[in-house]
Amino acid sequence: MTAAPTLPEDQHLCTRCGMCCDGTLFEYVEVDESERPSVENLFTLHPGTKGPVFHQPCPHAINQCCMVYEARPETCRKYRCKTLIALDSGEITAHEAARRVDEALQARETVRPLLLDDETMHQARQRRAAIAAEPARAMDSMVFVLRLTALDLMLDKYFRKQGKTMIRQENFD
């Protein structure tokens, strides 16, 4: 009897997480114009500032696994979050990487009950901005704002790269 193949640690971490595909981290994925012919049958492409994009959550991400893995766009192939980069470089252990993923997933789960029906994380962030602009806020709205902001701060610290963060550091200086 042969043993089941083991996934490399980074793939195990990715299939445990999936936040780069499910809309937790990003609103959309940029696609190089040269890839359009090979991916437009897989994704609904929209004009973006630098070329075509498809919106998150990815329709092909099911249970943190990519159902079009071999045909996925180059942006998806190349993407490495800050935690994965730190793991690959030896800066953190696999245990620490898994802890970060678990902590972020738990923080996301505290936000989910506060989302409106069929609301994406991007739409929730837009709603947060609208609530923040209101002169008076209801307590339940503030709980939503605080939980989503706590999640975004964690995602910025452990997953999003410089220039892709949701919460700008200058807001705290």
Side-chain angles (χ1 to χ4, degrees), residues 83-101:
T83 290
L84 202 50
I85 291 168
L87 176 64
D88 289 345
S89 71
E91 179 184 328
I92 63 171
T93 64
H95 178 75
E96 171 59 15
R99 186 202 63 76
R100 290 177 180 187
V101 167

Side-chain angles (χ1 to χ4, degrees), residues 126-138:
Q126 290 175 319
R127 181 164 57 103
R128 173 181 61 194
I131 292 168
E134 294 172 0
R137 297 166 202 98

Side-chain angles (χ1 to χ4, degrees), residues 29-32 35-36 38-40 42-43 45 52-54 58 60 66 68-79:
V29 173
E30 295 175 346
V31 176
D32 190 88
E35 291 185 282
R36 182 185 288 273
S38 62
V39 300
E40 64 187 350
L42 298 172
F43 302 98
L45 298 177
V53 301
F54 65 89
C58 177
H60 303 292
C66 179
V68 294
Y69 190 78
E70 294 302 319
R72 71 195 189 282
E74 193 65 25
T75 302
C76 300
R77 291 175 189 276
K78 289 182 177 178
Y79 181 72

Side-chain angles (χ1 to χ4, degrees), residues 142-160:
M142 288 309 300
V143 169
F144 164 73
V145 167
L146 291 171
R147 286 186 184 173
L148 183 54
T149 301
L151 171 62
D152 274 332
L153 286 167
M154 184 181 310
L155 295 174
D156 287 351
K157 181 176 181 178
Y158 293 134
F159 298 95
R160 294 186 187 113

Side-chain angles (χ1 to χ4, degrees), residues 17-29 56-57 79-83 104 108 121-122 125 151-152 154-161 164-166:
C17 177
M19 291 185 291
C20 61
C21 301
D22 70 8
T24 300
L25 284 170
F26 306 111
E27 172 189 359
Y28 59 86
V29 173
Q56 296 282 37
Y79 181 72
R80 313 285 282 173
C81 71
K82 283 171 51 175
T83 290
R108 184 184 66 192
M121 291 299 282
H122 172 66
R125 290 179 177 107
L151 171 62
D152 274 332
M154 184 181 310
L155 295 174
D156 287 351
K157 181 176 181 178
Y158 293 134
F159 298 95
R160 294 186 187 113
K161 296 176 186 171
K164 300 288 185 182
T165 58
M166 290 285 161

Side-chain angles (χ1 to χ4, degrees), residues 9 11-18 64 94 97-99 101-102 105:
E9 190 59 44
Q11 284 183 344
H12 176 70
L13 188 68
C14 291
T15 58
R16 183 177 186 163
C17 177
Q64 294 93 332
R99 186 202 63 76
V101 167
D102 290 346
L105 292 173

